[in-house]
C-alpha cells in the first residue's frame, strides 16, 4: 500500500475524516464533497491537484454558491492561486498541509503522561476512536482517529489554550496511535494546520501536499 499523493489518497483522507465527524462523503467524479452538518450545512468540495482549467471551472461554481467551499490539495499551490486570482475569490486558508507517516515501528503502548495532573480516557465508537485528556476536572486536550482503506486518519488534535506547551499534542497523538494499531494500518494521514505542522514533523510525519481553501 502506498502513501504517495493521489486522488484516491485524498478520498481516503476524506472518508476517515468524515467518519469522526458524522459526515457523508459524495464522489461526483470531479470532487469529493461533504455537507458540514455541524457548520450550517455548508458544502465543502475537495479537489486533487487540478489543472488550471479544472481549478477555474470548480472555482467558478464555488463563487456562484455562497454556501460552498472549495479545498484544493496540490503540489503547485502558487501557480493555481495565480490562475484563480482574476475570479476574486476569498482565500480563507493557504497554510494547511496533507501529511503522512509510516506506522511501522510506532509504539503500541499508551504513552507516559507528561504530568501526573493529566488523566487519559479512550473512547471507542463504531467508526472512530477518541482520546480525551483531563486535568483538575476540565478538558485539557483531545483528538480522534478513524481507519479508512487501511490508513489511520487523525483529526481534531486540540489542546486547550491554558495547557499548551506542556507536551499534550504529542501525548494525544501517541495515545491515538497506540489505540489504532490494534487495526491493520500501514500509514497515517492527517490535514495539518500551520500551527500543527511543526509537531507532526517532530513526530516523524512527512509533507505530501499543500492545501488551500477558497470561497465566494
Amino acid at each position: 500500500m502506498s502513501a504517495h499523493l493521489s486522488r484516491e489518497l485524498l478520498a481516503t483522507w476524506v472518508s476517515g475524516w468524515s467518519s469522526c465527524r458524522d459526515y457523508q462523503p459524495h464522489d461526483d467524479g470531479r470532487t469529493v464533497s461533504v455537507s458540514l452538518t455541524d457548520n450550517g450545512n455548508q458544502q465543502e468540495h475537495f479537489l486533487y491537484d487540478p489543472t488550471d482549467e479544472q481549478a477555474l471551472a470548480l472555482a467558478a461554481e464555488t463563487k456562484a454558491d455562497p454556501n460552498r467551499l472549495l479545498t484544493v490539495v496540490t503540489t503547485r499551490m502558487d501557480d493555481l492561486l495565480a490562475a484563480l486570482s482574476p475570479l476574486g475569490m476569498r482565500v480563507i486558508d493557504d497554510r494547511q498541509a496533507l501529511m503522512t507517516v509510516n506506522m511501522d515501528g510506532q509504539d503500541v503502548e499508551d504513552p507516559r503522561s507528561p504530568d501526573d495532573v493529566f488523566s487519559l480516557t479512550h473512547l471507542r465508537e463504531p467508526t472512530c476512536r477518541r482520546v480525551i485528556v483531563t486535568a483538575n476536572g476540565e478538558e485539557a486536550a483531545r483528538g480522534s482517529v478513524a481507519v479508512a482503506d487501511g490508513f489511520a486518519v487523525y483529526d481534531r488534535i486540540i489542546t486547550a489554550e491554558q495547557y499548551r506547551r506542556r507536551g499534550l499534542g504529542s501525548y494525544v497523538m501517541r495515545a491515538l496511535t497506540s489505540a489504532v494499531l490494534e487495526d491493520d494500518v500501514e500509514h497515517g494521514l492527517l490535514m495539518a494546520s500551520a500551527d500543527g505542522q511543526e509537531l507532526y514533523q517532530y513526530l516523524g510525519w512527512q509533507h505530501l501536499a499543500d492545501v488551500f481553501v477558497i470561497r465566494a
Side-chain angles (χ1 to χ4, degrees):
M1 182 183 300
S2 172
H4 296 302
L5 181 63
S6 66
R7 187 182 189 280
E8 291 72 24
L9 189 68
L10 175 59
T12 294
W13 174 81
V14 173
S15 176
W17 174 76
S18 297
S19 290
C20 285
R21 298 189 180 215
D22 295 325
Y23 299 155
Q24 297 296 321
H26 172 69
D27 190 337
D28 66 5
R30 298 184 304 160
T31 67
V32 181
S33 63
V34 297
S35 177
L36 305 179
T37 53
D38 55 352
N39 192 13
N41 287 315
Q42 295 182 89
Q43 297 293 315
E44 184 166 7
H45 289 251
F46 296 89
L47 183 60
Y48 161 71
D49 222 5
T51 64
D52 289 2
E53 292 75 17
Q54 290 169 332
L56 282 163
L58 268 298
E61 293 178 21
T62 302
K63 186 174 182 178
D65 185 351
N67 198 45
R68 179 164 163 164
L69 306 172
L70 180 62
T71 296
V72 181
V73 178
T74 180
T75 56
R76 45 188 297 270
M77 181 171 70
D78 291 343
D79 290 344
L80 287 174
L81 285 174
L84 296 175
S85 62
L87 291 178
M89 307 285 289
R90 282 193 292 154
V91 180
I92 60 176
D93 194 338
D94 62 358
R95 298 179 64 200
Q96 295 186 67
L98 184 67
M99 303 184 75
T100 187
V101 71
N102 191 317
M103 301 295 281
D104 287 345
Q106 298 287 331
D107 197 343
V108 298
E109 301 294 333
D110 260 347
R112 183 188 298 273
S113 173
D115 191 306
D116 289 343
V117 72
F118 298 121
S119 298
L120 179 70
T121 301
H122 284 274
L123 302 175
R124 182 167 184 169
E125 302 169 4
T127 61
C128 184
R129 295 170 185 259
R130 306 183 195 274
V131 298
I132 299 173
V133 180
T134 56
N136 302 315
E138 65 179 357
E139 183 176 300
R142 65 163 51 238
S144 62
V145 64
V147 176
D149 297 327
F151 285 80
V153 181
Y154 295 73
D155 185 38
R156 284 179 170 165
I157 314 302
I158 299 170
T159 301
E161 186 173 357
Q162 64 270 34
Y163 292 105
R164 290 177 183 169
R165 301 191 181 279
R166 296 179 65 176
L168 289 181
S170 297
Y171 183 44
V172 166
M173 286 294 293
R174 289 177 169 133
L176 289 169
T177 297
S178 71
V180 79
L181 282 175
E182 296 177 6
D183 298 311
D184 185 17
V185 293
E186 296 182 16
H187 294 87
L189 280 175
L190 58 76
M191 196 80 79
S193 67
D195 291 339
Q197 289 173 46
E198 184 176 353
L199 166 64
Y200 304 130
Q201 289 169 356
Y202 169 74
L203 294 175
W205 288 70
Q206 298 178 332
H207 179 278
L208 280 176
D210 297 314
V211 180
F212 66 88
V213 186
I214 57 174
R215 71 177 310 157

